Amino acid sequence: MNLKNYYLAELIDAPIISEKSTNSAENNKQFVFKVKREATKPEIKAAVEMMFGVEVASVNTLNVKGKEKRFGRMLGRRSDWKKAYVKLKPGSDIEFSVA
């Protein structure tokens, strides 16, 4: 495994498993991942194709702003993060229960 593959493997933090993302996966073959903030769309596409062995049709990203939270008298802030919606080509599928 070369250095580029290590970099691509670190881009994807975790899949986001929620009711909305599960419905999107079942109906549209669109999966949701939490990714590094500096990740670009071509890098996310290459990382998903390398890790899961599928063909990616498109990638949409959005930056999620961290919420302000209060801890007693102290005011804190959660960190910002990036979410990626990855749409697969027909015939490709990702099984998270197996992977």
Side-chain angles (χ1 to χ4, degrees):
M1 204 174 195
N2 60 12
L3 195 58
K4 183 179 179 182
N5 289 346
Y6 282 118
Y7 174 72
L8 291 177
E10 290 181 354
L11 284 181
I12 297 176
D13 287 336
I16 297 175
I17 307 297
S18 65
E19 187 175 353
K20 181 179 177 182
S21 67
T22 304
N23 287 336
S24 178
E26 290 174 356
N27 299 333
N28 303 325
K29 297 289 186 198
Q30 192 171 26
F31 295 89
V32 186
F33 296 97
K34 182 176 181 180
V35 297
K36 302 284 185 198
R37 288 185 60 198
E38 62 270 6
T40 62
K41 290 181 182 183
E43 290 173 343
I44 295 169
K45 178 179 178 179
V48 171
E49 288 177 346
M50 180 193 74
M51 292 177 73
F52 297 105
V54 295
E55 293 185 27
V56 175
S58 65
V59 176
N60 294 329
T61 60
L62 61 105
N63 291 313
V64 180
K65 301 295 181 187
K67 296 179 179 180
E68 288 189 355
K69 294 290 182 176
R70 182 172 293 280
F71 304 101
R73 288 191 290 170
M74 303 297 292
L75 186 66
R77 182 173 174 82
R78 291 184 179 170
S79 58
D80 300 338
W81 55 285
K82 187 180 256 189
K83 185 189 295 190
Y85 287 90
V86 178
K87 184 169 178 123
L88 301 181
K89 290 184 179 177
S92 298
D93 194 21
I94 297 175
E95 290 293 329
F96 289 119
S97 59
V98 177

